[in-house]
Amino acid sequence: MVIVIKLLVNKFLNTACYFFIDNFRRTENKDERSRRDTRWLSHDRAVSAVRQCLPALITSLEREASKRSDATAAGLSMFVKNPNFIASIYMMSDVLPHLSRLSKSFQKTDVDFTIVDTLVAATQLTLTRLLASYGQHMKALPQVLEELKGYGVKGGPENLTFHDQVYIPYILNVIENLHDRFPDNPVLEALTLLDSDLLGDDPSEHDWIHQTKLQTLVDKFVSIGTKENICSEWKGQKDLLYKECKGLGFRQALHKIVKLGHLYPCMTKFAAIGLVLSVSTADCERCFSCLKRLKTPLRNRMGQKVLNCLVNISCEGQPVEQFDFEKSAISFAKGKIRKFLHKYE
């Protein structure tokens, strides 16, 4: 039942979006929200847009079905007036904002993966609380269904078996899905061993926690070294982290540890893993979006070298307000001797 409801909602969102976008003359609302199957954020926006304009959506679809004899509009109108569909929209309006906030935290350029486990656990806990108590929109659902009876919605909350058949299984599936999508959280948490700010005032305090994290890293990265060698290095590096890296921040501390490879070869490899570990694909997707903006049909002759430079400048370069144009011009002029041909010489 949960899978059927999800597929039906997704199909409706796609069909309604294409129905209004294909011909702008059908509606005055030109800001219909499209959605993608793998995007929590786009689902959230699409569901929110449908919930906010539900009466207008029903009216618009019925007008298209009656005046233009549009079969697609008639089918969408019947579907959107189904109480189970309306309940699904209101249920998702309570669930998706929490998933969207989690998704946004992974879209930053410099994600601190040490907080991933905490963020995921907090989201799961919030969703678990929705099992015991409805959210804001689900609490308003009975009143909404009563109000929508004037728009042809048949059946009130007393006719719904939605709670047991859809609501509970849906949230349980979302929680399980979150657990499956982040299987390496214990490893990410273990790498916080190298975070100097978590050592506290006494580096020997909570030693059993440090040993647990070391064991997790040893079990995951078997090729780096034996537990005896790693524990021996940790004893010396722990004091170094406390004295030299306190207050530097996690990534700065990792950079400093990497430079000490001749002293702590095993711990240096753990630090290198922490620096190159990718938490999300946001940076990669951001680069592809940048590439699409740069290589337009009018610039289709652009070479790979120039394109790489422009992408690096766009993604990693300084803001225009901070760029030193004078220094750049001088560097360009000193690069090689160039001939400047003047048209009217």
Side-chain angles (χ1 to χ4, degrees):
M1 184 67 174
V2 176
I3 297 176
V4 172
I5 289 291
K6 181 180 178 181
L7 292 176
L8 289 176
V9 171
N10 287 346
K11 184 177 180 180
F12 170 81
L13 293 176
N14 273 336
T15 308
C17 177
Y18 293 136
F19 175 78
F20 287 112
I21 287 178
D22 284 344
N23 188 350
F24 283 111
R25 290 175 300 177
R26 294 178 184 270
T27 177
E28 297 177 359
N29 182 12
K30 300 183 180 182
D31 191 30
E32 288 295 321
R33 300 290 186 178
S34 62
R35 60 107 214 153
R36 299 292 182 267
D37 286 337
T38 57
R39 304 289 185 196
W40 282 335
L41 288 174
S42 60
H43 268 96
D44 187 15
R45 288 194 293 264
V47 167
S48 178
V50 170
R51 189 194 76 252
Q52 292 174 9
C53 64
L54 197 55
L57 185 61
I58 295 174
T59 303
S60 178
L61 290 172
E62 288 182 341
R63 185 184 64 223
E64 293 294 322
S66 60
K67 290 187 177 181
R68 299 179 185 273
S69 300
D70 193 308
T72 302
L76 289 173
S77 175
M78 291 179 60
F79 187 81
V80 78
K81 289 188 290 185
N82 188 323
N84 282 315
F85 170 78
I86 298 173
S88 299
I89 291 295
Y90 275 72
M91 172 189 68
M92 291 182 177
S93 296
D94 284 332
V95 173
L96 291 179
H98 303 295
L99 301 179
S100 296
R101 281 193 289 271
L102 180 64
S103 179
K104 287 178 181 179
S105 65
F106 296 141
Q107 295 183 13
K108 299 178 181 178
T109 303
D110 188 10
V111 181
D112 185 0
F113 61 81
T114 62
I115 64 173
V116 170
D117 188 48
T118 303
L119 291 174
V120 174
T123 303
Q124 290 175 318
L125 180 61
T126 303
L127 294 177
T128 303
R129 289 172 179 166
L130 290 178
L131 293 172
S133 176
Y134 281 153
Q136 172 188 358
H137 297 101
M138 281 299 292
K139 288 180 179 178
L141 179 61
Q143 181 181 353
V144 170
L145 290 175
E146 289 294 330
E147 294 174 354
L148 290 177
K149 284 184 178 180
Y151 293 88
V153 176
K154 298 179 180 179
E158 65 278 358
N159 303 116
L160 291 177
T161 57
F162 186 81
H163 179 83
D164 295 330
Q165 294 186 7
V166 178
Y167 184 82
I168 298 296
Y170 176 80
I171 294 182
L172 289 176
N173 285 341
V174 171
I175 294 173
E176 183 180 356
N177 178 262
L178 281 176
H179 178 75
D180 294 339
R181 291 187 68 172
F182 300 94
D184 293 326
N185 276 354
V187 179
L188 297 178
E189 178 65 22
L191 286 171
T192 60
L193 178 76
L194 302 176
D195 191 349
S196 57
D197 291 336
L198 297 181
L199 289 177
D201 297 330
D202 184 4
S204 62
E205 191 178 5
H206 306 305
D207 190 60
W208 65 275
I209 297 179
H210 301 157
Q211 293 300 321
T212 303
K213 293 181 179 180
L214 280 174
Q215 186 62 52
T216 302
L217 294 176
V218 170
D219 294 341
K220 180 66 177 179
F221 307 105
V222 181
S223 60
I224 288 183
T226 63
K227 184 177 180 180
E228 291 75 16
N229 292 337
I230 293 173
C231 290
S232 176
E233 289 185 15
W234 169 245
K235 290 179 181 178
Q237 193 180 55
K238 181 167 57 174
D239 293 329
L240 176 68
L241 281 173
Y242 180 74
K243 294 177 181 178
E244 301 295 333
C245 301
K246 197 71 172 177
L248 283 182
F250 183 62
R251 297 192 69 84
Q252 288 78 6
L254 292 181
H255 279 291
K256 196 160 187 174
I257 295 171
V258 167
K259 296 178 182 178
L260 302 174
H262 59 290
L263 294 176
Y264 310 105
C266 295
M267 300 304 297
T268 296
K269 291 178 182 178
F270 288 141
I273 291 172
L275 286 172
V276 301
L277 197 61
S278 177
V279 178
S280 69
T281 60
D283 284 338
C284 178
E285 294 172 1
R286 198 172 285 119
C287 287
F288 279 112
S289 298
C290 176
L291 187 66
K292 185 177 180 180
R293 291 195 302 270
L294 291 173
K295 193 162 185 178
T296 62
L298 296 178
R299 306 171 82 178
N300 60 358
R301 302 290 294 175
M302 185 185 300
Q304 188 66 39
K305 183 178 179 181
V306 175
L307 187 60
N308 285 341
C309 293
L310 291 177
V311 170
N312 284 331
I313 292 172
S314 180
C315 294
E316 306 294 340
Q318 295 179 336
V320 177
E321 296 79 8
Q322 301 177 9
F323 187 77
D324 191 341
F325 288 94
E326 182 178 354
K327 183 178 179 181
S328 177
I330 294 173
S331 176
F332 176 79
K334 290 181 178 179
K336 65 178 182 179
I337 300 175
R338 294 176 173 82
K339 293 182 179 181
F340 294 94
L341 300 178
H342 299 283
K343 184 177 180 179
Y344 300 104
E345 283 185 348

